[in-house]
PDB file of all heavy atoms in Angstrom:
ATOM      1  N   ALA A 195      11.214   3.724  27.906  1.00 93.00           N
ATOM      2  CA  ALA A 195      12.154   4.706  27.364  1.00 93.00           C
ATOM      3  C   ALA A 195      11.407   5.896  26.757  1.00 93.00           C
ATOM      4  O   ALA A 195      10.205   5.819  26.448  1.00 93.00           O
ATOM      5  CB  ALA A 195      13.028   4.054  26.303  1.00 93.00           C
ATOM      6  N   ASP A 196      12.129   6.992  26.602  1.00 91.00           N
ATOM      7  CA  ASP A 196      11.584   8.177  25.939  1.00 91.00           C
ATOM      8  C   ASP A 196      11.845   8.040  24.438  1.00 91.00           C
ATOM      9  O   ASP A 196      12.921   8.365  23.946  1.00 91.00           O
ATOM     10  CB  ASP A 196      12.253   9.435  26.491  1.00 91.00           C
ATOM     11  CG  ASP A 196      11.682  10.718  25.889  1.00 91.00           C
ATOM     12  OD1 ASP A 196      10.846  10.626  24.965  1.00 91.00           O
ATOM     13  OD2 ASP A 196      12.089  11.813  26.333  1.00 91.00           O
ATOM     14  N   PHE A 197      10.838   7.571  23.714  1.00 92.00           N
ATOM     15  CA  PHE A 197      11.009   7.288  22.292  1.00 92.00           C
ATOM     16  C   PHE A 197      11.294   8.550  21.473  1.00 92.00           C
ATOM     17  O   PHE A 197      11.832   8.458  20.368  1.00 92.00           O
ATOM     18  CB  PHE A 197       9.780   6.581  21.730  1.00 92.00           C
ATOM     19  CG  PHE A 197       9.375   5.348  22.486  1.00 92.00           C
ATOM     20  CD1 PHE A 197       8.031   5.069  22.727  1.00 92.00           C
ATOM     21  CD2 PHE A 197      10.332   4.454  22.964  1.00 92.00           C
ATOM     22  CE1 PHE A 197       7.648   3.930  23.419  1.00 92.00           C
ATOM     23  CE2 PHE A 197       9.963   3.312  23.659  1.00 92.00           C
ATOM     24  CZ  PHE A 197       8.620   3.050  23.891  1.00 92.00           C
ATOM     25  N   THR A 198      10.915   9.700  21.999  1.00 92.00           N
ATOM     26  CA  THR A 198      11.113  10.942  21.245  1.00 92.00           C
ATOM     27  C   THR A 198      12.587  11.273  21.071  1.00 92.00           C
ATOM     28  O   THR A 198      12.949  12.069  20.200  1.00 92.00           O
ATOM     29  CB  THR A 198      10.417  12.125  21.926  1.00 92.00           C
ATOM     30  OG1 THR A 198      11.023  12.375  23.207  1.00 92.00           O
ATOM     31  CG2 THR A 198       8.935  11.840  22.119  1.00 92.00           C
ATOM     32  N   LYS A 199      13.446  10.667  21.885  1.00 92.00           N
ATOM     33  CA  LYS A 199      14.884  10.926  21.785  1.00 92.00           C
ATOM     34  C   LYS A 199      15.581   9.971  20.820  1.00 92.00           C
ATOM     35  O   LYS A 199      16.758  10.162  20.505  1.00 92.00           O
ATOM     36  CB  LYS A 199      15.533  10.823  23.172  1.00 92.00           C
ATOM     37  CG  LYS A 199      15.089  11.912  24.143  1.00 92.00           C
ATOM     38  CD  LYS A 199      15.844  11.810  25.459  1.00 92.00           C
ATOM     39  CE  LYS A 199      15.448  12.940  26.399  1.00 92.00           C
ATOM     40  NZ  LYS A 199      16.188  12.867  27.686  1.00 92.00           N
ATOM     41  N   TRP A 200      14.881   8.951  20.378  1.00 94.00           N
ATOM     42  CA  TRP A 200      15.486   7.956  19.510  1.00 94.00           C
ATOM     43  C   TRP A 200      15.552   8.454  18.068  1.00 94.00           C
ATOM     44  O   TRP A 200      14.799   9.343  17.657  1.00 94.00           O
ATOM     45  CB  TRP A 200      14.697   6.652  19.571  1.00 94.00           C
ATOM     46  CG  TRP A 200      14.799   5.934  20.886  1.00 94.00           C
ATOM     47  CD1 TRP A 200      15.476   6.348  22.000  1.00 94.00           C
ATOM     48  CD2 TRP A 200      14.180   4.691  21.222  1.00 94.00           C
ATOM     49  NE1 TRP A 200      15.330   5.431  23.007  1.00 94.00           N
ATOM     50  CE2 TRP A 200      14.548   4.399  22.563  1.00 94.00           C
ATOM     51  CE3 TRP A 200      13.370   3.792  20.536  1.00 94.00           C
ATOM     52  CZ2 TRP A 200      14.127   3.252  23.219  1.00 94.00           C
ATOM     53  CZ3 TRP A 200      12.949   2.642  21.184  1.00 94.00           C
ATOM     54  CH2 TRP A 200      13.320   2.371  22.505  1.00 94.00           C
ATOM     55  N   VAL A 201      16.431   7.845  17.292  1.00 93.00           N
ATOM     56  CA  VAL A 201      16.599   8.204  15.883  1.00 93.00           C
ATOM     57  C   VAL A 201      15.527   7.517  15.049  1.00 93.00           C
ATOM     58  O   VAL A 201      15.289   6.309  15.185  1.00 93.00           O
ATOM     59  CB  VAL A 201      17.995   7.787  15.381  1.00 93.00           C
ATOM     60  CG1 VAL A 201      18.167   8.183  13.913  1.00 93.00           C
ATOM     61  CG2 VAL A 201      19.078   8.410  16.228  1.00 93.00           C
ATOM     62  N   GLN A 202      14.897   8.274  14.171  1.00 96.00           N
ATOM     63  CA  GLN A 202      13.881   7.723  13.295  1.00 96.00           C
ATOM     64  C   GLN A 202      14.537   7.052  12.075  1.00 96.00           C
ATOM     65  O   GLN A 202      15.507   7.578  11.521  1.00 96.00           O
ATOM     66  CB  GLN A 202      12.930   8.817  12.813  1.00 96.00           C
ATOM     67  CG  GLN A 202      12.171   9.495  13.930  1.00 96.00           C
ATOM     68  CD  GLN A 202      11.339   8.505  14.726  1.00 96.00           C
ATOM     69  OE1 GLN A 202      10.594   7.698  14.150  1.00 96.00           O
ATOM     70  NE2 GLN A 202      11.457   8.556  16.043  1.00 96.00           N
ATOM     71  N   PRO A 203      14.020   5.907  11.642  1.00 94.00           N
ATOM     72  CA  PRO A 203      14.577   5.263  10.447  1.00 94.00           C
ATOM     73  C   PRO A 203      14.655   6.193   9.245  1.00 94.00           C
ATOM     74  O   PRO A 203      15.627   6.129   8.466  1.00 94.00           O
ATOM     75  CB  PRO A 203      13.621   4.093  10.214  1.00 94.00           C
ATOM     76  CG  PRO A 203      13.129   3.739  11.577  1.00 94.00           C
ATOM     77  CD  PRO A 203      12.989   5.063  12.282  1.00 94.00           C
ATOM     78  N   ALA A 204      13.669   7.055   9.074  1.00 96.00           N
ATOM     79  CA  ALA A 204      13.675   7.966   7.925  1.00 96.00           C
ATOM     80  C   ALA A 204      14.836   8.952   7.993  1.00 96.00           C
ATOM     81  O   ALA A 204      15.357   9.392   6.951  1.00 96.00           O
ATOM     82  CB  ALA A 204      12.355   8.718   7.847  1.00 96.00           C
ATOM     83  N   GLN A 205      15.257   9.316   9.217  1.00 97.00           N
ATOM     84  CA  GLN A 205      16.401  10.216   9.354  1.00 97.00           C
ATOM     85  C   GLN A 205      17.693   9.518   8.929  1.00 97.00           C
ATOM     86  O   GLN A 205      18.557  10.128   8.299  1.00 97.00           O
ATOM     87  CB  GLN A 205      16.499  10.702  10.804  1.00 97.00           C
ATOM     88  CG  GLN A 205      15.330  11.571  11.227  1.00 97.00           C
ATOM     89  CD  GLN A 205      15.340  11.874  12.716  1.00 97.00           C
ATOM     90  OE1 GLN A 205      15.663  11.021  13.540  1.00 97.00           O
ATOM     91  NE2 GLN A 205      14.990  13.103  13.064  1.00 97.00           N
ATOM     92  N   ILE A 206      17.819   8.256   9.277  1.00 97.00           N
ATOM     93  CA  ILE A 206      18.979   7.475   8.851  1.00 97.00           C
ATOM     94  C   ILE A 206      18.960   7.309   7.336  1.00 97.00           C
ATOM     95  O   ILE A 206      19.991   7.439   6.659  1.00 97.00           O
ATOM     96  CB  ILE A 206      18.994   6.112   9.558  1.00 97.00           C
ATOM     97  CG1 ILE A 206      19.081   6.304  11.072  1.00 97.00           C
ATOM     98  CG2 ILE A 206      20.152   5.257   9.054  1.00 97.00           C
ATOM     99  CD1 ILE A 206      18.878   5.031  11.865  1.00 97.00           C
ATOM    100  N   ALA A 207      17.788   7.044   6.800  1.00 97.00           N
ATOM    101  CA  ALA A 207      17.651   6.880   5.353  1.00 97.00           C
ATOM    102  C   ALA A 207      18.095   8.133   4.613  1.00 97.00           C
ATOM    103  O   ALA A 207      18.800   8.046   3.595  1.00 97.00           O
ATOM    104  CB  ALA A 207      16.205   6.546   4.999  1.00 97.00           C
ATOM    105  N   SER A 208      17.724   9.288   5.106  1.00 98.00           N
ATOM    106  CA  SER A 208      18.095  10.539   4.436  1.00 98.00           C
ATOM    107  C   SER A 208      19.605  10.706   4.366  1.00 98.00           C
ATOM    108  O   SER A 208      20.150  11.125   3.335  1.00 98.00           O
ATOM    109  CB  SER A 208      17.474  11.730   5.172  1.00 98.00           C
ATOM    110  OG  SER A 208      16.068  11.717   5.060  1.00 98.00           O
ATOM    111  N   LEU A 209      20.281  10.371   5.460  1.00 98.00           N
ATOM    112  CA  LEU A 209      21.731  10.489   5.480  1.00 98.00           C
ATOM    113  C   LEU A 209      22.373   9.483   4.535  1.00 98.00           C
ATOM    114  O   LEU A 209      23.308   9.811   3.793  1.00 98.00           O
ATOM    115  CB  LEU A 209      22.250  10.283   6.907  1.00 98.00           C
ATOM    116  CG  LEU A 209      23.765  10.330   7.096  1.00 98.00           C
ATOM    117  CD1 LEU A 209      24.354  11.640   6.568  1.00 98.00           C
ATOM    118  CD2 LEU A 209      24.117  10.130   8.573  1.00 98.00           C
ATOM    119  N   MET A 210      21.877   8.265   4.523  1.00 98.00           N
ATOM    120  CA  MET A 210      22.439   7.239   3.642  1.00 98.00           C
ATOM    121  C   MET A 210      22.233   7.606   2.182  1.00 98.00           C
ATOM    122  O   MET A 210      23.132   7.420   1.341  1.00 98.00           O
ATOM    123  CB  MET A 210      21.821   5.877   3.964  1.00 98.00           C
ATOM    124  CG  MET A 210      22.154   5.382   5.361  1.00 98.00           C
ATOM    125  SD  MET A 210      21.463   3.752   5.751  1.00 98.00           S
ATOM    126  CE  MET A 210      22.564   2.672   4.817  1.00 98.00           C
ATOM    127  N   ILE A 211      21.072   8.132   1.861  1.00 98.00           N
ATOM    128  CA  ILE A 211      20.790   8.535   0.482  1.00 98.00           C
ATOM    129  C   ILE A 211      21.714   9.669   0.050  1.00 98.00           C
ATOM    130  O   ILE A 211      22.236   9.680  -1.070  1.00 98.00           O
ATOM    131  CB  ILE A 211      19.308   8.918   0.339  1.00 98.00           C
ATOM    132  CG1 ILE A 211      18.459   7.645   0.388  1.00 98.00           C
ATOM    133  CG2 ILE A 211      19.053   9.695  -0.951  1.00 98.00           C
ATOM    134  CD1 ILE A 211      16.981   7.907   0.561  1.00 98.00           C
TER     135      ILE A 211
END
Side-chain angles (χ1 to χ4, degrees):
D196 183 354
F197 307 139
T198 65
K199 293 184 177 181
W200 291 2
V201 181
Q202 298 301 311
Q205 294 172 321
I206 299 171
S208 293
L209 178 56
M210 296 181 75
I211 287 167

